[in-house]
Amino acid sequence: MTYAEFFVANPISLPAIVFALGLVVGSFLNVVIYRLPLMMEAEWTAQCRGLLEISDNNDSGEKPAFNLAIPNSHCPQCKHEISALENIPVVSWLVQKGKCRHCLAPISPRYPMIELATAILSALVTFHFGFSLLTLAVLVLTWGLIALTMIDYDYQLLPDDITLPLLWLGLLINSSGLIVSLEDAVYGTIAGYLLLWGVYWLFKLLTGKEGMGYGDFKLLSALGAWLGWQALPMIILLSSLVGAVIGIGFIGILGRDRNIPIPLGPYLASAGFLSLIWGNEITGFYYSLIM
């Protein structure tokens, strides 16, 4: 029996395996979400100092490496290096009751929540698409969207290090028509960027303010590369509906200042994922309401 035959005969086995893998990937995404913006800030600072020929007076020698692999994960309070047993996704947080084992400082529940969300969404993707190359590709897209969602929520920033590889990957997988034709993917890439670019400049001309960032253009362009130009209206509509509901909730329930910017990236990412998994069902439901 081949792997494909085994997973067809046992449809829950593959999602279960990917669920466990998703927990591990979610743990890594926590690192990406925390460290990538800091790495970008350090790079921008160094570039600005170089252009302005400003020396760092606090630079007494070579700075320690800081990237996605170095240094090892540690408690931000007591600097205790987290061991492998303390870094088991979700389980370690529960066993340690959400506290550092060394200094008892609280550990944010967001870390296990991201791990669990990554695992659930990964299992959902696998259950929906089955044992296929498309599943692997969509898993990569899903993990990238999770990282982008949280980084944009924290920093109002959508890193090119994630959006651009997703864009090129979308064009690559559709070069063989895996989701849509290459022609539709190319048009989706162009239309996704230009659509929000046009809205950005129209809003700026009317109000004198910037309503969104260029990262939003690139994210919608990447989603267009994956899903084709036909999916863009649905993505825009879904992201607007979700954004409006959550925005009104923040203002009405939590008393959030309406002048505080709300990042668009999480809503675009959510709408793109929903369109990928349930696009046909959503379209059918919409037509059932208007017919």
Side-chain angles (χ1 to χ4, degrees), residues 167-168 170-172 174-175 180-194 221-230 232:
L167 188 156
W168 291 114
L171 292 175
L172 178 63
N174 283 322
S175 63
V180 297
S181 68
L182 179 59
E183 181 180 12
D184 288 342
V186 171
Y187 287 145
T189 303
I190 299 170
Y193 190 92
L194 292 180
S221 181
L223 293 174
W226 280 81
L227 301 176
W229 62 269
Q230 298 92 334
L232 294 178

Side-chain angles (χ1 to χ4, degrees), residues 64-285:
F66 184 83
N67 51 49
L68 297 181
I70 302 173
N72 293 333
S73 298
H74 59 273
C75 172
Q77 298 296 326
C78 66
K79 309 303 179 184
H80 165 67
E81 186 172 308
I82 299 175
S83 66
L85 290 177
E86 296 173 297
N87 205 27
I88 301 174
V90 179
V91 175
S92 293
W93 189 88
L94 292 174
V95 171
Q96 296 170 201
K97 299 179 180 179
K99 297 179 180 179
C100 172
R101 195 174 68 175
H102 191 261
C103 69
L104 300 182
I107 302 173
S108 173
R110 193 173 96 161
Y111 294 114
M113 289 174 63
I114 290 175
E115 293 165 352
L116 191 58
T118 304
I120 292 173
L121 293 178
S122 299
L124 174 62
V125 166
T126 308
F127 184 79
H128 185 81
F129 292 106
F131 183 74
S132 65
L133 179 61
L134 179 59
T135 296
L136 180 59
V138 175
L139 284 174
V140 174
L141 173 63
T142 302
W143 299 335
L145 292 178
I146 292 171
L148 288 171
T149 293
M150 299 311 301
I151 292 174
D152 200 29
Y153 178 81
D154 288 339
Y155 298 95
Q156 287 75 61
L157 177 71
L158 293 169
D160 288 349
D161 290 345
I162 301 177
T163 55
L164 296 185
L166 287 181
L167 188 156
W168 291 114
L169 180 59
L171 292 175
L172 178 63
I173 68 164
N174 283 322
S175 63
S176 59
L178 202 56
I179 299 177
V180 297
S181 68
L182 179 59
E183 181 180 12
D184 288 342
V186 171
Y187 287 145
T189 303
I190 299 170
Y193 190 92
L194 292 180
L195 182 60
L196 290 188
W197 179 85
V199 173
Y200 166 88
W201 280 107
L202 179 62
F203 183 82
K204 189 172 183 178
L205 290 173
L206 293 175
T207 66
K209 300 178 181 179
E210 296 183 357
M212 65 185 74
Y214 278 65
D216 297 315
F217 312 166
K218 298 170 189 175
L219 175 55
L220 186 59
S221 181
L223 293 174
W226 280 81
L227 301 176
W229 62 269
Q230 298 92 334
L232 294 178
M234 180 187 299
I235 294 174
I236 293 295
L237 178 60
L238 287 175
S239 63
S240 300
L241 290 174
V242 174
V245 171
I246 294 178
I248 293 172
F250 277 144
I251 295 172
I253 300 175
L254 302 179
R256 179 171 177 168
D257 186 349
R258 67 183 61 192
N259 293 319
I260 296 177
I262 299 176
L264 179 61
Y267 309 128
L268 288 176
S270 301
F273 182 82
L274 291 173
S275 299
L276 179 61
I277 302 297
W278 294 295
N280 293 333
E281 289 80 357
I282 294 173
T283 302
F285 176 73

